[in-house]
Amino acid sequence: MIEFIRGYVDYICPEYIVIDHNGIGYEIFTPNPFAFEESREAAVTVYTYEYVREDVHALYGFLTREERNLFAKLLQVSGIGPKGGLAILAAGRPDELARAIEEENEAFLCKFPGVGKKTARQMILDLKGKLTMFSMPTAPRPAASLSGELAEAIAALKALGYAEREIEKIIPALREETMSTEQYVKRALAMLLK
Amino acid sequence: MIEFIRGYVDYICPEYIVIDHNGIGYEIFTPNPFAFEESREAAVTVYTYEYVREDVHALYGFLTREERNLFAKLLQVSGIGPKGGLAILAAGRPDELARAIEEENEAFLCKFPGVGKKTARQMILDLKGKLTMFSMPTAPRPAASLSGELAEAIAALKALGYAEREIEKIIPALREETMSTEQYVKRALAMLLK
Amino acid sequence: MIEFIRGYVDYICPEYIVIDHNGIGYEIFTPNPFAFEESREAAVTVYTYEYVREDVHALYGFLTREERNLFAKLLQVSGIGPKGGLAILAAGRPDELARAIEEENEAFLCKFPGVGKKTARQMILDLKGKLTMFSMPTAPRPAASLSGELAEAIAALKALGYAEREIEKIIPALREETMSTEQYVKRALAMLLK
Amino acid sequence: MIEFIRGYVDYICPEYIVIDHNGIGYEIFTPNPFAFEESREAAVTVYTYEYVREDVHALYGFLTREERNLFAKLLQVSGIGPKGGLAILAAGRPDELARAIEEENEAFLCKFPGVGKKTARQMILDLKGKLTMFSMPTAPRPAASLSGELAEAIAALKALGYAEREIEKIIPALREETMSTEQYVKRALAMLLK
């Protein structure tokens, strides 16, 4: 629910930091709490993942949104919990992690604490092809002929649950037009619900 | 618990948007995130439904309170979860949805992703007669002789759990008077608890 | 966790109100939502009870702290949920409710929706003697010889789990002195932990 | 999630206090609520522990961060719940508690309400050696030759899940250098992931 908190570093200890946001202190577990020593003077934005279980309500925080989103993807891998996810991100090299997964480099993945052969294979199985935005500087276009707006619209339709084959049918008609992402989504929904 | 959030659109991706409210970013899943591209410059109010499960604490958001309340009603239909509810509302035509349910138009309902015959019938069973506020411009008066205040008071008594037949008994006496909604409620409670 | 919210009434419907607190709207279920029509112009303080279950995170709100605390006590009675608690408080006469419980007046209690003989007896069993602050204008002193501060200190010791008989032993020594509540608590703890 | 709240004492009763933070009142259970009588005039910072269970979402608060962290450790002992933890801290002598645990003084521990022989032994078993920061004015260095920064870095690596024997191997090389805590952590991770 909470995706970032802007405030001042109030406390640092080996497990977490505390960010003071207008007089409320938020306890945030981070890969390397002492990396925030340098941010003591100015307000800092920490991108947070809210971890909710029956008896846990905790925030995990990162200096970039990309690391935060990578952490969220790591937690979807069975066998990786928040502590394991932090340890993997503590090495601070999302691009190397993404490449190791794309290249199915189990040996590299097994170096992280708590990651054995089984978890390494599960990471590759679950995440291969889904971390392209971390291994490349900018998210690659799925195909040269699709504009950024159309590509975003297609991703939004998939997020809504429309099947790939349904979407494939209407792409030719959509590609004829030049619109904003939102207009592409509206046009597509109208065609899908005809 | 949180019914709306006012702030600035900070981030848009195919699944959700992030609204910056005084330095705290709220991750909000919406039917069409890219519809918020136009609201980047000014503060926007997003009407939110707080979805709570053992391991989920998420906000689903809408540009109008009516859509937000329709989403809440859709979630009461067994077989429809938040993702299904978003897909139904993404088409952005609450009045057509309400009419399809009132007219028991299963074919129209089955066009939404994840809605088959069984769920379509369940929607009709659970929601028929309860979406009148979406199919009509303004909430219809239950009967020409009841004033708006008295109608609201009756709805409040039902919300408190008083049975229809108990309320029916005291309507004739209440209809004789002209009061505010709150006064009608107080008078009715006094009569019911005599 | 949240015990009151101060803000402006933004929306009223038969089941709940929405209070706007600095741009965040809080959905609050109240006994009589339309009673807030009068508070539209100025900021209002609503005393809230946060109801948490596996799939529910809701606020129940009241115009006074006494009603809020009475609601909390009603929820401790097995057979009374939030909806039943609201209906009981909707009649808006905590003192009559307290007197009915003290006088074991089952007939009066059975008038509330959802309260039958069994629940009425459970209310009397669980709450008799515990609602004195509602039936009297001010909380009665347990015994003329105990000062307000000492009475408060004794209540605090009970809240910490110290048994009645342990506390009884040290009251004579404490009664010899005149202190603030906090000093009485500190002195008592020192004596209890000797 | 919430580690401190700064605001004004709005209400005190034997079980809890209410802190007004910009118009939202937070209900906070504390060892000795009446100790806050003195803080009525100025804003006070209460260090909070957020206790989350399926049907509970409560804040427990303390005047110092050390007490708050000691409370968190006490809750890790099986047999000690929040109420027991408050009663233990109500005596207000963390150093005496830490010494009693280090010296395995069961008799002293059994004086606290709700603590019998079994719980006293469990406290000693679970906490011995882990409360040194409470019994000494400042956290002792693990070994004279480790600088504060290196000691903090080692604690951070342990928090990430690296095994003691892995860390022992790289300490000699790290001890050769003089860096900030964060640089030590980065260097260590690089060495551990080689």
Side-chain angles (χ1 to χ4, degrees), chain D residues 68-102:
Chain D
R68 184 249 180 215
N69 292 348
L70 179 52
F71 179 77
K73 286 200 187 293
L74 285 172
L75 290 198
Q76 291 164 9
V77 177
S78 88
I80 296 186
K83 194 169 173 183
L86 281 191
I88 293 170
L89 287 170
R93 298 178 304 199
D95 54 339
E96 285 197 5
L97 176 67
R99 199 174 312 122
I101 287 173
E102 292 307 314

Side-chain angles (χ1 to χ4, degrees), chain B residues 35-103:
Chain B
F36 287 85
E37 282 287 1
E38 297 149 19
S39 330
R40 288 264 191 183
E41 301 322 316
V44 63
T45 298
V46 181
Y47 293 93
T48 50
Y49 178 91
E50 202 172 324
Y51 184 72
V52 173
R53 289 296 178 275
E54 187 179 312
D55 55 0
V56 178
H57 196 176
L59 287 174
Y60 289 83
F62 307 89
L63 279 168
T64 68
R65 188 167 260 150
E66 286 65 32
E67 284 176 284
R68 184 250 180 213
N69 292 347
L70 180 51
F71 180 76
K73 286 200 187 293
L74 286 172
L75 290 199
Q76 291 165 8
V77 177
S78 87
I80 297 185
K83 194 170 171 182
L86 281 191
I88 293 171
L89 286 171
R93 297 177 305 197
D95 55 337
E96 285 197 8
L97 177 66
R99 200 174 312 121
I101 287 172
E102 292 308 313
E103 294 165 1

